[in-house]
C-alpha cells in the first residue's frame, strides 16, 4: 500500500503534509514552497499551469486563470452570492443550474471540481516525487461549515485527481489535532480560522488524546479577500474622484489592484504604513495614469469595522452552543493567513482573555493536522481519538413546508437517527422524502440536499402508514438517508448527491478522458524532460571543458576533452533532429565522456593539492600523460597543432622540481 497524505485544500493556498517517523511534516512543492496557491490556469498554448505559475499569469490572462474556485465547489448557481461571482473569469450556470467555469483558450467549460482536481493532482505529484513512492489516499480538509454537497464535491474532485479520499476532515478539527497531538493535559480550545475566503470557528476539548468537538460555526462568505476588496474599493474611489474613471470595470486593472491590495494588507500586518504603486493603470485624455499612494494601517482598519463585526457572530454562536463561558477557554489557536492582521488578533483578545497560542504556524497547521489524522487512520499514531460533530442541522420537509430536524447541529458523528412519519392524505401511495440542511424553520430557507420517493404504500387512511426515515452520517460528515415502509418492509435509500456539481456519468466521462490524456501528457512530459536533461548536460559539459582548459591547459587531457567535444556535437545534432531514441544514446555517451573528464580532473587535483598548484599543473599534466598507459597508443606529438618544444624532457619525473621526490 502506498502512503496516505493530508491535504489542506484552501481557497487561496493549499498545503500537503505527511507523517514521517511519527512526526507530521509539510512537503514543499516542486517550486520549493511549502504552500501552493490554489490557482489553475491555461497558457495561450492551452498548457495547464497550477500553483505559483498559474498565479503569476493572473494579471496577464485573467480570463484563463482561475482562483477562489473553492467558493463554487458543491454549490448550485442559485445559491451563489453576488460577491462570489466577482471573479475576473467567466462563470455561468449550465442547463441543470450547476456552476461552470468558461476558459477561452481551451474553448471548454469546466466544473469547478474538475479544476480543483488539478490542484490536488499537483500537490500529490510533488509529494510522490519527494517521498519516492506512490500516494494512494488522502485526508482532505474542508471548512467545518461545508454542507453535505460541498463535502461530496470535494470528494469528487479528489476522485478526478485519481486519489482516494480516506477521510474528509474539518479544518478547525485538523488544526486542533496539530496543536494538541502531543499534549496530555485537558484543555478547552477555540480554533479561529480566517482564510482567504472562509471563516471557521470551533470549540473543542482535548483530553489525553481524545478530541471532542463541542461546537462549530462559521461564515463561508467571509475571508481575507473581503479585506483586500476594501482596499481595492478605496483605491478605485480615490482614482474615480481624481480622474473620473472606474478602474473596477477593467479586468486587468482590477486584477492589478487586487494584487496590490493583498500585498498592502499583508505588509500592514508588520508595518504601520505601506506604499501602493500601480504605474500605467489606465489611459486618460492626456496620456497614461498611475496610482501612487500610501495606505496607513489606521485607515485600513477604518475601512473594515463591519467585517470585524461579522467575525464575532460565529464565535458567539459556537460559545452559545457549547455552553462554555469565554473565560473557560484555555487556548486560542489562530489559523489562516487572515489572523496575521493585528486588528483580528486584537478582536480575538477581546473575546477570550487568554492570549492566543503562537506555537503553530497558521499557514501549515491544518495540513499538519490532516497528516496526523492520516497517521491515526493508518494505525501509525495510536492513543488519539477524534470525535467530530456535524456542523448543520439535518431534517425533512413536513406538511406546510416546515423543517423537521432529525439530527441537530453539533451532534457527534458518526451518528444514526430515525423517526417515523406518516401520510397526510387518505390512500396516499407514495411519500416524497425531501432532505434539507440548515437552521431555518421553513425548509425552503435551508439548503436542499435532494429528494426521493418511497412508493408502493398500501391504501390506508391518512396517518396510518408508518414510514421510518433514518439518517446516517459517517465520519466524513457525509449523509445517507433511507426510508422504510413498516407494513411492507419496502426500503429505499440514497446517498444524497443533490447539490453536487457533477453527476456520476459526468465523473466517469471525465475520468476516462483523464486516463486517455494522462498517457498523452506523460509522453509529452517524457519528451520534454529528455530534451531538458540533454540541454542541461550539454551546458554542464561545456563548463567542464572550460574548467579543464583552465586547469590543465588546452591539451591537458586531450583524449578526454575531445571525447566530450564530439559527444556534445552529437547531442546537439540529435536535439535539432528531435530523434528521442538516438538522443538518449548520445546523452549516455556524453555522460560517459564527461565522467572520464571529471575523473581526470579530480585525479589532477588530488596530486596537486599544494600551494604551488598553478605552476605545477603545467608539469603535472604532462607528467601524468607520459606515464599513463594511453600515451603510447595515441601519440600526442603527431598533432601538428602541438607547440614546438620537447615536452618529453620537461615532463620527466626526475627533472620535475616540484615533485616531492626531487629533493630526496
Ligand atoms: P485559505 O485557507 O483560504 O487557503 P490561507 O489560510 O492561506 O487561506 O490565508 C490566505 C489569506 O491570508 C489571504 O487573504 C492572504 O492575503 C491572507 N494573509 C496571508 N498573510 C497575511 C498577512 N501577513 N497579513 C494579513 N493577511 C495575510
Ligand atoms: Mg485554510
Amino acid at each position: 500500500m502506498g502512503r496516505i497524505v493530508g491535504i489542506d485544500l484552501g481557497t487561496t493556498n493549499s498545503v500537503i503534509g505527511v507523517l514521517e517517523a511519527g512526526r507530521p511534516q509539510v512537503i514543499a512543492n516542486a517550486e520549493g514552497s511549502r504552500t501552493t496557491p490554489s490557482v489553475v490556469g491555461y497558457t495561450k498554448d492551452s498548457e495547464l499551469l497550477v500553483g505559483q505559475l498559474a498565479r503569476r499569469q493572473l494579471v496577464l490572462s485573467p480570463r484563463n486563470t482561475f482562483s477562489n474556485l473553492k467558493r463554487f465547489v458543491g454549490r448550485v448557481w442559485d445559491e451563489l452570492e453576488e460577491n462570489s461571482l466577482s471573479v475576473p473569469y467567466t462563470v455561468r450556470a449550465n442547463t441543470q443550474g450547476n456552476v461552470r467555469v468558461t476558459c477561452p483558450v481551451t474553448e471548454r467549460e469546466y466544473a469547478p471540481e474538475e479544476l480543483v482536481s488539478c490542484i490536488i493532482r499537483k500537490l500529490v505529484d510533488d509529494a510522490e516525487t519527494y517521498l519516492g513512492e506512490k500516494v494512494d489516499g488522502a485526508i482532505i480538509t474542508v471548512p467545518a461549515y461545508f454542507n453535505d454537497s460541498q463535502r461530496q464535491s470535494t470528494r469528487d474532485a479528489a476522485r478526478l485527481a485519481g486519489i482516494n479520499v480516506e477521510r474528509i476532515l474539518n479544518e478547525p478539527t485538523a488544526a486542533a489535532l496539530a496543536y494538541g497531538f502531543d499534549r496530555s493535559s485537558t484543555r478547552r480550545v477555540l480554533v479561529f480560522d480566517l482564510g482567504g475566503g472562509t471563516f471557521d470557528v470551533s470549540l473543542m476539548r482535548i483530553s489525553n488524546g481524545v478530541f471532542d468537538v463541542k461546537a462549530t460555526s462559521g461564515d463561508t462568505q467571509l475571508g481575507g479577500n473581503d479585506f483586500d476588496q476594501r482596499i481595492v474599493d478605496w483605491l478605485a474611489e480615490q482614482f474615480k474622484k481624481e480622474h473620473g474613471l472606474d478602474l473596477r470595470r477593467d479586468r486587468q486593472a482590477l486584477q492589478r489592484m487586487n494584487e496590490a491590495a493583498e500585498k498592502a494588507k499583508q505588509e500592514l500586518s508588520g508595518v504601520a504604513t505601506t506604499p501602493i504603486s500601480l504605474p500605467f493603470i489606465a489611459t486618460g485624455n492626456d496620456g497614461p495614469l498611475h496610482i501612487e499612494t500610501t495606505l496607513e494601517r489606521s485607515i485600513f482598519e477604518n475601512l473594515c469595522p463591519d467585517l470585524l463585526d461579522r467575525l464575532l457572530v460565529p464565535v458567539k454562536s459556537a460559545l452559545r452552543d457549547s455552553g462554555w463561558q469565554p473565560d473557560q477557554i484555555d487556548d486560542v489557536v489562530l489559523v489562516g493567513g487572515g489572523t496575521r492582521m493585528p486588528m483580528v488578533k486584537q478582536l480575538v483578545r477581546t473575546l477570550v482573555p487568554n492570549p492566543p497560542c503562537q506555537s503553530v504556524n497558521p499557514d501549515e497547521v491544518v495540513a499538519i493536522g490532516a497528516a496526523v489524522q492520516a497517521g491515526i487512520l493508518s494505525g501509525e499514531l495510536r492513543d488519539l481519538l477524534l470525535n467530530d460533530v456535524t456542523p448543520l442541522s439535518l431534517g425533512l420537509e413536513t406538511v406546510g413546508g416546515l423543517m423537521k430536524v432529525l439530527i441537530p447541529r453539533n451532534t457527534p458523528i458518526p451518528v444514526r437517527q430515525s423517526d417515523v412519519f406518516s401520510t397526510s392524505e387518505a390512500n396516499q401511495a407514495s411519500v416524497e422524502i425531501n432532505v434539507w440542511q440548515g437552521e431555518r424553520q421553513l425548509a425552503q430557507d435551508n439548503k436542499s440536499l435532494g429528494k426521493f420517493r418511497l412508493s408502493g404504500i398500501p391504501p390506508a387512511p391518512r396517518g396510518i402508514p408508518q414510514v421510518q426515515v433514518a439518517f446516517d452520517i459517517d465520519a466524513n460528515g457525509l449523509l445517507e438517508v433511507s426510508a422504510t415502509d413498516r407494513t411492507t418492509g419496502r426500503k429505499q435509500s440514497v446517498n444524497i448527491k443533490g447539490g453536487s456539481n457533477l453527476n456520476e456519468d459526468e465523473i466517469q466521462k471525465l475520468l476516462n478522458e483523464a486516463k486517455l490524456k494522462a498517457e498523452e501528457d506523460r509522453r509529452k512530459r517524457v519528451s520534454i524532460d529528455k530534451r531538458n536533461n540533454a540541454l542541461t548536460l550539454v551546458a554542464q559539459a561545456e563548463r567542464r571543458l572550460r574548467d579543464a582548459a583552465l586547469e590543465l591547459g588546452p591539451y591537458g587531457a586531450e583524449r578526454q576533452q575531445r571525447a566530450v567535444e564530439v559527444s556534445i556535437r552529437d547531442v546537439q545534432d540529435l536535439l535539432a533532429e528531435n530523434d528521442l531514441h538516438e538522443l538518449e544514446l548520445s546523452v549516455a555517451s556524453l555522460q560517459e565522456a564527461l565522467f572520464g573528464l571529471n575523473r581526470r580532473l579530480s585525479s589532477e587535483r588530488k596530486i596537486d593539492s599544494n600551494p604551488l598548484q598553478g605552476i605545477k599543473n603545467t608539469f603535472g599534466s604532462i607528467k601524468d600523460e607520459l606515464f599513463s598507459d594511453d600515451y603510447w597508443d595515441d601519440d600526442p606529438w603527431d598533432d601538428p597543432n602541438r607547440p614546438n618544444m620537447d615536452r618529453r624532457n620537461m615532463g620527466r619525473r626526475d627533472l620535475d622540481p616540484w615533485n616531492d621526490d626531487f629533493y630526496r
Side-chain angles (χ1 to χ4, degrees), residues 8-13 70 141 143 171 193-196 198 200 335-337 362-363 366:
D8 168 12
L9 193 60
T11 315
T12 326
N13 295 300
K70 195 165 155 183
T141 60
E171 284 163 13
D193 179 356
L194 184 61
T198 51
D200 255 304
V335 185
D363 300 320
V366 172

Side-chain angles (χ1 to χ4, degrees), residues 40-249:
V40 178
Y42 287 93
T43 63
K44 57 182 188 314
D45 307 320
S46 295
E47 195 193 331
L48 173 72
L49 298 178
V50 182
Q52 192 53 47
L53 292 176
R55 196 187 157 129
R56 215 175 285 151
Q57 68 157 30
L58 263 172
V59 171
L60 283 180
S61 190
R63 286 159 175 275
N64 298 302
T65 313
F66 314 109
S67 55
N68 284 317
L69 289 160
K70 195 165 155 183
R71 291 182 176 180
F72 303 117
V73 166
R75 309 193 78 210
V76 292
W77 183 260
D78 289 340
E79 295 170 355
L80 296 175
E81 292 77 4
E82 186 85 20
N83 72 346
S84 289
L85 294 173
S86 65
V87 284
Y89 49 91
T90 313
V91 270
R92 53 171 224 102
N94 70 1
T95 45
Q96 286 97 45
N98 289 330
V99 182
R100 288 295 179 267
V101 174
T102 317
C103 177
V105 288
T106 56
E107 297 175 350
R108 245 199 75 175
E109 272 187 3
Y110 299 89
E113 291 75 9
E114 209 179 334
L115 295 168
V116 168
S117 80
C118 301
I119 302 172
I120 301 179
R121 195 60 249 170
K122 172 182 169 57
L123 293 169
V124 170
D125 279 346
D126 290 354
E128 284 178 342
T129 310
Y130 168 83
L131 294 168
E133 68 183 302
K134 240 187 97 46
V135 167
D136 272 351
I139 312 294
I140 298 196
T141 60
V142 297
Y145 226 59
F146 253 26
N147 64 33
D148 195 77
S149 49
Q150 290 168 303
R151 284 164 199 263
Q152 295 278 7
S153 294
T154 303
R155 167 176 273 199
D156 289 345
R159 263 182 78 194
L160 289 176
I163 288 294
N164 193 24
V165 175
E166 303 287 334
R167 181 65 57 87
I168 301 240
L169 181 64
N170 289 334
E171 284 163 13
T173 313
L177 265 180
Y179 160 79
F181 103 104
D182 50 7
R183 267 164 239 253
S184 55
S185 57
T186 301
R187 308 193 76 79
R188 290 178 173 177
V189 181
L190 164 71
V191 179
F192 186 102
D193 179 356
L194 184 61
T198 51
F199 174 50
D200 255 304
V201 173
S202 279
L203 286 170
M204 59 195 88
R205 197 186 136 94
I206 307 177
S207 163
N208 296 320
V210 180
F211 292 72
D212 277 314
V213 181
K214 285 295 172 202
T216 156
S217 187
D219 186 336
T220 47
Q221 303 296 316
L222 176 61
N225 293 339
D226 298 291
F227 291 80
D228 303 345
Q229 189 58 44
R230 293 296 159 90
I231 301 182
V232 169
D233 288 337
W234 178 76
L235 288 172
E237 290 300 333
Q238 273 192 340
F239 194 86
K240 201 165 154 193
K241 231 184 273 163
E242 219 171 300
H243 304 289
L245 280 173
D246 190 350
L247 291 175
R248 284 164 292 196
R249 292 174 184 279

Side-chain angles (χ1 to χ4, degrees), residues 10-13 195-197 224-225 262 265-266 269 336-338 340-341:
T11 315
T12 326
N13 295 300
N225 293 339
E262 182 175 16
K265 173 192 73 176
Q266 296 185 350
S269 295
R340 292 212 157 100
M341 281 184 278

